[in-house]
Amino acid sequence: MKSNLLIIVLSILLPHLSYAQLPSLRIIDGTLRTVESGMLVVPPKDKYKKIIDSLDQNLKKSPNDTTSLFYRSLLYYSYNQKMAEPAQTTKGTLENLLIAKNMIERAISEKMINVNTKILRAQIYAELCYRFSGDESWMFTPAVIQSRRKLFETSKAKANDSYDELIKSGISETYVLEKKKVKDEYPIKP
């Protein structure tokens, strides 16, 4: 009787205590997604706080640990993507995405080459382009506009190159990946 009660209590509490696990990943329509309880949602802000702290500590000790770089980059992306922060000019999202970009590029330079890594890199660059789509000329000085335009163009080229690389690698979702390519132009005309 007591053992049955213990099993019931553990089965109820265990899902709520498993916050220290890395998020489940799934590629859906050419996009790498975190899966929460079987649903495609943005992870709750505090859910991965312990794992983020652990990843940050691990990266301080071993800055080239590809697994830590990948998951930390994924979490930066997850909390700063348009599903999580839809306004293009939300403070901090661009900076966090740039951190994610640097981390995923470092993981790739350390020879972490798999489909998830390549898809995440393409998504981060495409998301960077989205962050510039709300730029208006009254918001920035001409020098800042010029640097933002350059970053947009670089991100667009990298995103499209990444999608081309994925298409050439023979992923079955060629049509979907082709549609994900960035076709927008920087909104402030020279």
Side-chain angles (χ1 to χ4, degrees), residues 2-68:
K2 287 183 180 181
S3 63
N4 289 341
L5 182 59
L6 180 62
I7 291 172
I8 292 171
V9 170
L10 285 176
S11 66
I12 292 171
L13 294 178
L14 196 56
H16 301 289
L17 298 175
S18 62
Y19 280 74
Q21 293 180 356
L22 293 169
S24 298
L25 303 177
R26 193 174 295 160
I27 298 172
I28 300 173
D29 292 329
T31 303
L32 186 66
R33 301 271 189 196
T34 55
V35 180
E36 297 289 327
S37 305
M39 298 176 61
L40 300 174
V41 295
V42 176
K45 287 279 185 196
D46 293 333
K47 180 166 185 178
Y48 295 113
K49 186 171 179 15
K50 288 181 182 178
I51 206 79
I52 288 170
D53 291 343
S54 176
L55 289 169
D56 288 342
Q57 288 296 323
N58 194 31
L59 287 170
K60 282 182 183 175
K61 293 176 191 169
S62 178
N64 294 328
D65 177 22
T66 56
T67 303
S68 295

Side-chain angles (χ1 to χ4, degrees), residues 99-116:
I99 293 169
K101 172 194 72 92
N102 293 336
M103 287 181 162
I104 200 67
E105 288 297 345
R106 192 167 30 164
I108 289 170
S109 73
E110 292 293 323
K111 308 295 183 230
M112 183 178 196
I113 301 173
N114 62 36
V115 173
N116 287 350

Side-chain angles (χ1 to χ4, degrees), residues 20 25 36 38 41 44 60 66 80 86 89 100 102-103 110 123-124 129 139 152-153 179:
L25 303 177
E36 297 289 327
V41 295
K60 282 182 183 175
T66 56
N80 293 283
T89 56
N102 293 336
M103 287 181 162
E110 292 293 323
Q123 287 175 212
I124 290 170
C129 292
M139 299 170 128
F152 173 86
E153 295 296 334
K179 295 292 268 179

Side-chain angles (χ1 to χ4, degrees), residues 122-142:
Q123 287 175 212
I124 290 170
Y125 280 117
E127 188 65 37
L128 280 168
C129 292
Y130 172 76
R131 291 294 155 193
F132 293 110
S133 66
D135 285 8
E136 294 185 30
S137 59
W138 61 268
M139 299 170 128
F140 308 105
T141 65

